[in-house]
Amino acid sequence: IYIVNPDEEIGSPASCDLIAQLARGADAAFVMEAARANGDIVSARKGMMHLRATVHGRSAHAGVEPERGRSATLEAAHKTVALHALNDRWPGVSVNVGEIRGGTRPNIVAEEAVMTIDLRARLVTEQDEAEAAILDILQTATVPDVTTTVEKLAGTRPMEKTAASGELVDAAVEIAAELGFDLADAETGGGSDANTTAAVGVPSLDGLGPVGGNDHTPLEYIEQSSIVPRTTLLAALLFSVGR
């Protein structure tokens, strides 16, 4: 089965369920994300979760009667500090508040603030613990009478390297040697649809596309000279698994 996915960069919201459905029962999954800049294929990826938290306060005139207000932006600031403090709790976890917006004018106590949050985790257990800690922070108010609603925008489970996916790595390394180039595997923090296939128990190997780098920047590139060798590697892997 060959899947071309148009919405992977935004978390595969429309494709994830279909990919999981089609992957179940497969012997292996090969994902054509670009190889790392040094040529490494990818055998493990961090899990990811994106949240939108909307903080609901109470507006008031900031000069005349500020005590009647409940500042949503102040509450969002407290939550941001607490969320970033989670980065020291687990070695394989990162938490980032990537966006904060709120309020309307400087002389009005902010009635609403919106935060978007990114969570990355190496292990399923760490992801579950970190997610619970994030939700606890979001639902606990520092500013009195302020509430927060939380919306999950996207999420994937960690792609952990297993014995079965390790066998795919070994096969790829052996094939690459026969083709005349060295190959190694690596873990990366970015997510892909390999997270989805791995989550349903399918041995998955990623980073099988051309060599490239500077992801998500104007300088993102692929090395044209790597296209033919990587295509040959994929063909040989498909033959090997099929055999």
Side-chain angles (χ1 to χ4, degrees), residues 13-25:
S15 305
C16 184
D17 289 345
L18 178 61
I19 292 169
Q21 175 186 335
L22 294 174
R24 288 186 175 91

Side-chain angles (χ1 to χ4, degrees), residues 47-67:
M48 174 273 293
M49 182 179 68
H50 287 168
L51 296 174
R52 180 189 293 123
T54 303
V55 183
H56 308 279
R58 183 193 306 157
S59 61
H61 194 297
V64 176
E65 47 185 9
E67 70 282 355

Side-chain angles (χ1 to χ4, degrees), residues 54-140:
T54 303
V55 183
H56 308 279
R58 183 193 306 157
S59 61
H61 194 297
V64 176
E65 47 185 9
E67 70 282 355
R68 296 179 66 88
R70 298 292 183 267
S71 175
T73 54
L74 176 58
E75 179 63 33
H78 282 296
K79 292 186 187 303
T80 298
V81 172
L83 289 167
H84 277 262
L86 295 177
N87 284 303
D88 298 325
R89 190 175 296 183
W90 303 272
V93 169
S94 63
V95 179
N96 182 58
V97 179
E99 178 187 21
I100 302 177
R101 64 182 187 274
T104 54
R105 292 181 53 81
N107 62 341
I108 300 174
V109 176
E111 184 174 20
E112 183 178 278
V114 179
M115 314 161 60
T116 56
I117 301 143
D118 177 275
L119 164 67
R120 307 280 167 152
R122 291 180 61 247
L123 303 176
V124 171
T125 53
E126 291 179 345
Q127 185 182 40
D128 290 341
E129 292 174 9
E131 181 175 347
I134 289 171
L135 293 176
D136 182 61
I137 290 169
L138 293 178
Q139 298 296 351
T140 302

Side-chain angles (χ1 to χ4, degrees), residues 31-43 45 169 172-173 176-177 181-188 205-215 221-223 225-227 229-231 233-234 237:
V31 179
M32 303 308 297
E33 286 269 347
R36 304 300 88 185
N38 64 357
D40 286 351
I41 55 177
V42 176
S43 58
R45 286 184 176 274
V169 171
V173 170
F181 62 92
D182 295 328
L183 191 66
D185 65 309
E187 175 186 325
T188 184
L205 193 57
D206 201 350
L208 290 166
V211 177
N214 292 335
D215 298 350
Y221 70 92
I222 63 170
E223 296 180 8
S225 62
S226 70
I227 293 174
R230 295 290 163 150
T231 303
L233 172 64
L234 175 64
L237 273 171

